[in-house]
């Protein structure tokens, strides 16, 4: 266990701001001051400038003199690394998710731009986290709140959290405001367990609020320790000095709570008693009973009206699917997304190392394509600079790719040595199509799928980012239909199956992933369940029946249940066992895919083995070990170094 005061504690502070550059400047200054008071802690400050209007952008003070108007930038001090991310789409939850996706600290702090840290904040945080085993490493499941004091005595005493002693959350306490969203602390393990904030909720959405309360409920249901502690203190300068302003804000909070009562009617039915207590208090108030908050002139009746209106709004939004149409996690972490990656990689291993007469591997590849289309388009929605996008993709993918290619050359794989130029240029798929045979490129013919994705990553941003928003959905639908037409024409014209390694054959799966980030699909989950037998058809049909047209139909329709799986995974709604094994395997699934055939090819040629269950267990286990070491010791450090080099390059360009 780390002792308070040692120097290996990294904290990510995330602040979402919108059109309040002055308030954000004061918040920023308080963070720097608190860091200077306690320089032991390394601070990563991420400011998400959320859909600012012209003139409302926040620019780091250290960068104003040297940067053009309207840009954000980054700055690095001795113990503080600050950056500003500009997010075009409004929404507090979306902004926080972008910050969570970018942060690297073991402990994460969320505050509002109208708050100021007390000078001893980071020292108090260091001491508090040290009380929990593995707290500093971010491995403990913790969601903590702190004391929130009124910053300006002229403001009304609202949105504060007076606290004199430690409080542990109990379900008979209303979850709203227990962990204040303006002073919230979580560990990396909590983020990985729960994922990001629900973008259906929060400021900037039709449901107005409730994103922090929703997060607390999910934490409670997931077994996370939820506590509020008086040592970590912020001062809130909310600026509301009239009772009408406070009443409007209070109604918004009640509105969001009403949405949560409906959302958790099945999974957290204990919330219903809080609605009942509000209803009972409103009736008593009507007949002369006590009010909700006499000092701020707030009533239970307005709270009840907000709850009912919020519940109705949630049902309306759920039916239309509007707020779910864009899931923003460009690199945002959802453990169930990684679980899908793990299962997809397992299907590939199953097909290549044992049941090679089936198409489980092809099904896994289709799942990878849907995921890629979804995650990449989610990044492009935020309108990144093309150079930044390409640099980060290269930093993520190329180190492991070239390491695997180098390993294949080192092991003297014929398919690698003879055609290394094609592999290096990432056009193995075109080589396979030209040769019409897997033998010459064995054992690295499987690189074709990575090449299709790389070609998609290069071309898709050039199309998507330069299309008017009104044409983006049409472009994605065109992509899907083009793939279907390509495969149908190829099958009708008698082309062999090698034509499927060309990029157009996979556009439907990539396009389906892209479509889920752009278009409300409220019936997708139900359609996915209805069409789930097509997944079995893709995997098993070629092994039992020679019916290429039927298999083609299953392959085409399979993108719908695969898309439904991805959407459910972004909400952590898949009925998967809780634990870290599948997500951990998913995080190294890229390496598993890269290395498995290289290792199998080397072993098979030396020991004259055929695919079998024994091979699956032996080579699969070796592949997982190699992928883990590659990810931990080579890929991850190189990726961080390259991303940092890109930041420096951008800073001085």
């Amino acid at each position: 266990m780390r002792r308070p005061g040692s120097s290996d504690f990294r904290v990510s502070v995330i602040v979402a701001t919108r059109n309040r550059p002055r308030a954000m400047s004061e918040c920023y200054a308080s963070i720097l001051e608190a860091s200077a008071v306690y320089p032991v802690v390394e601070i990563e400050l991420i400011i998400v400038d959320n859909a600012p209007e012209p003139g409302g952008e926040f620019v780091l003070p250290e960068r104003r003199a040297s940067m053009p108007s309207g840009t954000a930038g980054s700055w690095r001090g001795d113990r503080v690394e600050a950056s500003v991310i500009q997010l075009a789409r409004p929404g507090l939850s979306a902004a926080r998710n972008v910050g969570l996706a970018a942060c690297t600290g073991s402990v994460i702090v969320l505050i509002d731009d109208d708050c100021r840290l007390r000078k001893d904040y980071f020292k108090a945080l260091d001491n508090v986290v040290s009380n929990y085993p593995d707290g500093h490493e971010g491995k403990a499941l913790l969601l903590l709140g702190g004391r929130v004091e009124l910053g300006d005595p002229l403001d009304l005493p609202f949105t504060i959290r007076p606290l004199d002693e430690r409080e542990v959350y109990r379900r008979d306490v209303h979850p709203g405001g227990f962990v204040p969203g303006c002073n919230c602390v979580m560990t990396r393990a909590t983020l990985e367990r729960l994922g990001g904030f629900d973008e259906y909720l929060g400021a900037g959405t039709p449901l107005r609020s409730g994103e922090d309360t929703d997060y607390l409920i999910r934490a409670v249901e997931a077994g996370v320790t939820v506590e509020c502690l008086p040592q970590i203190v912020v001062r809130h300068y909310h600026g509301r000095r009239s009772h009408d302003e406070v009443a409007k804000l209070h109604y918004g909070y009640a509105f969001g709570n009403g949405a949560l009562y409906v959302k958790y009617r099945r999974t957290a039915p204990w919330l219903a008693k809080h609605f009942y207590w509000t209803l009972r208090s409103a009736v008593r108030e009507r007949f002369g009973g006590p009010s909700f908050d006499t000092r701020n002139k707030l009533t239970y009746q307005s709270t009840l009206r907000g709850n009912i209106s919020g519940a109705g709004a949630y049902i309306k939004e759920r039916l239309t699917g509007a707020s779910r149409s864009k899931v923003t996690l460009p690199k945002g972490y959802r453990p169930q997304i990684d679980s899908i990656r793990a299962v997809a990689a397992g299907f590939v291993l199953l097909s290549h190392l044992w049941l090679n007469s089936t198409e489980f591997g092809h099904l896994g590849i289709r799942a990878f394509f849907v995921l890629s289309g979804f995650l990449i388009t989610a990044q492009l929605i935020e309108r990144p600079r093309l150079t930044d996008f390409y640099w980060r993709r290269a930093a993520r993918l190329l180190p492991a790719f070239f390491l695997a290619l180098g390993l294949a050359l080192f092991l003297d794989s014929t398919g690698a040595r003879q055609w290394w130029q094609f592999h290096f240029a990432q056009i193995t798929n075109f080589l396979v199509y030209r040769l019409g045979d897997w033998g010459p490129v064995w054992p690295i013919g499987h690189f074709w799928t990575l090449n299709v994705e790389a070609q998609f990553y290069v071309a898709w941003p050039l199309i998507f980012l330069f299309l008017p928003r009104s044409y983006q959905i049409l472009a994605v639908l065109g992509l899907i239909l083009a793939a279907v037409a390509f495969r149908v024409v190829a099958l009708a014209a008698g082309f062999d199956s090698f034509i499927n390694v060309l990029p157009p054959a996979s556009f439907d799966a990539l396009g389906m992933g892209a479509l889920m980030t752009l278009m409300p699909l409220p019936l997708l989950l139900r359609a996915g369940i209805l069409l789930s037998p097509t997944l079995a058809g893709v995997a098993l049909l070629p092994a039992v029946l020679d019916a290429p047209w039927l298999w083609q139909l299953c392959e085409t329709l399979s993108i719908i249940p695969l898309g439904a799986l991805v959407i459910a995974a972004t909400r952590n709604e898949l009925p998967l066992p809780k634990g870290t094994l599948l997500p951990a395997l998913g995080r190294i699934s890229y390496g598993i895919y890269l290395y498995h055939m290289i290792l199998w090819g080397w072993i098979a040629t030396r020991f004259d083995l055929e695919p079998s269950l024994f091979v699956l267990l032996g080579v699969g286990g070796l592949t997982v070990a190699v992928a883990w070491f590659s990810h931990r010791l080579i890929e991850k450090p190189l990726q961080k170094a390259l991303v940092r080099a890109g930041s420096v390059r951008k800073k001085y360009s």
Side-chain angles (χ1 to χ4, degrees):
M1 183 184 296
R2 176 193 174 279
R3 293 183 179 180
S6 57
S7 58
D8 57 346
F9 184 31
R10 183 172 174 86
V11 174
S12 296
V13 180
I14 299 172
V15 190
T17 185
R18 184 169 189 265
N19 296 327
R20 295 200 288 198
R22 182 176 178 181
M24 186 62 243
S25 296
E26 293 174 357
C27 176
Y28 177 68
S30 77
I31 295 169
L32 295 187
E33 184 177 20
S35 175
V37 168
Y38 194 67
V40 170
V41 177
E42 183 182 356
I43 305 300
E44 176 191 47
L45 173 59
I46 299 173
I47 300 166
V48 184
D49 206 350
N50 192 199
E53 297 172 358
E57 303 92 346
F58 174 75
V59 179
L60 293 170
E62 294 80 3
R63 301 286 285 153
R64 283 178 186 150
S66 60
M67 295 182 65
S69 175
T71 58
S74 59
W75 172 78
R76 186 179 183 88
D78 291 337
R79 300 295 288 174
V80 178
E81 179 182 345
S83 60
V84 178
I85 301 174
Q86 291 186 336
L87 176 64
R89 183 161 58 91
L92 177 58
S93 291
R96 284 179 168 171
N97 282 345
V98 169
L100 290 172
C103 73
T104 60
S106 57
V107 173
I108 302 161
V109 175
L110 300 170
I111 61 171
D112 288 350
D113 60 356
D114 55 359
C115 289
R116 316 286 181 269
L117 301 189
R118 201 166 72 176
K119 294 181 181 180
D120 65 347
Y121 188 93
F122 294 119
K123 181 178 181 180
L125 179 64
D126 192 5
N127 290 327
V128 162
V129 174
S130 67
N131 293 325
Y132 302 92
D134 296 326
H136 286 106
E137 292 77 16
K139 297 178 181 178
L141 289 172
L142 299 176
L143 180 65
L144 307 177
R147 181 181 173 91
V148 181
E149 298 177 347
L150 190 64
D152 190 334
L154 297 179
D155 295 344
L156 289 174
F158 194 60
T159 62
I160 58 175
R161 183 77 162 91
L163 189 67
D164 295 319
E165 59 184 16
R166 169 176 169 266
E167 293 181 5
V168 179
Y169 183 74
R170 307 185 316 274
R171 293 183 179 184
D172 59 347
V173 174
H174 196 287
F178 182 86
V179 171
C182 63
N183 189 11
C184 174
V185 177
M186 72 175 76
T187 55
R188 172 70 49 182
T190 298
L191 174 61
E192 293 179 357
R193 174 68 64 87
L194 302 181
F197 286 87
D198 186 350
E199 295 180 21
Y200 211 163
L201 303 164
T205 71
L207 298 177
R208 307 185 187 186
S209 67
E211 81 292 340
D212 47 357
T213 307
D214 171 80
Y215 209 81
L216 184 149
I217 296 168
R218 287 157 55 195
V220 170
E221 293 300 301
V224 176
T225 298
V226 180
E227 298 180 355
C228 212
L229 305 158
Q231 298 97 316
I232 44 179
V233 182
V234 303
R235 296 185 175 91
H236 196 184
Y237 294 79
H238 62 74
R240 296 174 180 85
R241 299 178 180 179
S242 73
H243 293 293
D244 288 343
E245 290 176 302
V246 169
K248 181 179 179 180
L249 182 63
H250 173 72
Y251 183 84
Y253 290 157
F255 197 94
N257 287 335
L260 296 177
Y261 294 148
V262 178
K263 176 180 178 179
Y264 289 104
R265 66 194 182 280
R266 294 178 181 172
T267 56
W270 51 271
L271 279 175
K273 64 184 178 185
H274 294 290
F275 175 73
Y276 165 72
W277 289 337
T278 299
L279 174 62
R280 184 180 62 183
S281 298
V283 172
R284 290 177 177 175
E285 182 183 62
R286 180 67 178 173
F287 293 99
S291 294
F292 182 88
D293 184 346
T294 305
R295 186 176 183 182
N296 287 312
K297 299 182 180 179
L298 303 175
T299 66
Y300 283 109
Q301 294 178 62
S302 66
T303 306
L304 181 62
R305 286 195 296 272
N307 289 166
I308 295 173
S309 298
Y314 179 88
I315 294 171
K316 178 182 176 182
E317 292 296 313
R318 184 77 180 194
L319 290 175
T320 61
S323 293
R324 291 286 191 185
S325 61
K326 296 178 181 177
V327 181
T328 302
L329 272 178
K331 293 182 298 180
Y333 189 70
R334 291 289 195 273
Q336 291 195 347
I337 289 287
D338 272 337
S339 295
I340 291 180
R341 287 190 177 110
V343 173
F347 278 174
V348 171
L349 265 61
L350 180 68
S351 184
H352 287 172
L353 303 180
W354 184 19
L355 305 177
N356 52 8
S357 63
T358 69
E359 292 292 341
F360 278 104
H362 187 72
L363 180 60
I365 288 166
R366 298 280 284 177
F368 278 127
F369 283 158
V370 173
L371 275 172
S372 295
F374 172 76
L375 295 171
I376 292 306
T377 307
Q379 291 184 36
L380 296 176
I381 284 176
E382 313 307 331
R383 318 300 292 185
R385 290 173 56 184
L386 270 177
T387 53
D388 291 345
F389 172 82
Y390 287 135
W391 185 269
R392 287 185 173 272
R393 283 288 88 203
R396 168 68 181 91
L397 300 175
L398 293 186
F401 179 83
F402 288 125
L403 183 65
L405 181 56
L407 177 63
L409 291 169
F410 175 76
L411 296 177
D412 200 29
S413 297
T414 304
R417 186 180 63 255
Q418 184 176 358
W419 308 102
W420 70 268
Q421 301 97 326
F422 291 88
H423 306 315
F424 185 86
Q426 304 237 20
I427 53 173
T428 305
N429 57 326
F430 289 99
L431 173 65
V432 170
Y433 174 69
R434 193 186 80 176
L435 297 174
D437 186 6
W438 294 108
V441 294
W442 193 83
I444 57 173
H446 66 298
F447 277 16
W448 78 268
T449 63
L450 307 176
N451 300 157
V452 168
E453 289 191 334
Q455 292 149 17
F456 176 75
Y457 295 158
V458 171
W460 183 233
L462 298 175
I463 299 170
F464 185 85
L465 290 177
F466 294 99
L467 277 175
R469 292 184 183 273
S470 56
Y471 288 93
Q472 288 174 349
I473 292 178
L474 291 177
V476 172
L477 292 173
L479 202 66
I480 295 172
L481 293 175
V484 176
F486 179 83
R487 293 201 304 269
V488 168
V489 170
L491 187 60
F495 285 92
D496 58 42
S497 61
F498 287 99
I499 201 168
N500 289 323
V501 303
L502 298 180
S506 301
F507 281 169
D508 56 337
L510 292 162
M512 185 63 186
L515 185 66
M516 291 184 297
T517 68
L518 298 169
M519 187 176 178
L521 297 171
L523 299 179
L524 178 62
L525 293 176
R526 293 181 182 177
I529 295 173
L530 182 66
L531 294 174
S532 57
T534 62
L535 300 178
V538 171
L540 298 173
L541 195 60
V544 298
L545 187 66
D546 183 18
W549 284 102
L550 181 58
W551 188 81
Q552 185 63 243
L553 177 64
C554 290
E555 183 182 35
T556 300
L557 294 178
S558 69
I559 62 174
I560 296 176
L562 289 174
L565 283 173
V566 172
I567 285 294
T570 62
R571 307 180 191 177
N572 286 323
E573 291 179 355
L574 291 177
L576 296 174
K578 293 182 179 179
T580 59
L581 179 60
L582 277 179
L585 290 174
R587 287 193 289 273
I588 61 172
S589 59
Y590 180 52
I592 291 174
Y593 186 85
L594 275 170
Y595 298 120
H596 80 283
M597 284 300 294
I598 298 172
L599 296 172
W600 166 228
W602 182 75
I603 291 172
T605 55
R606 278 153 181 78
F607 298 100
D608 193 26
L609 295 176
E610 294 293 330
S612 65
L613 177 59
F614 172 77
V615 167
L616 174 65
L617 297 177
V619 176
L622 177 62
T623 300
V624 170
V626 171
W628 185 88
F629 280 106
S630 170
H631 176 77
R632 189 68 178 264
L633 303 179
I634 301 174
E635 298 170 41
K636 202 170 180 182
L638 274 177
Q639 182 185 0
K640 287 184 178 180
L642 289 171
V643 169
R644 183 164 292 179
S647 299
V648 172
R649 174 185 55 83
K650 183 169 64 174
K651 177 179 179 181
Y652 291 104
S653 61

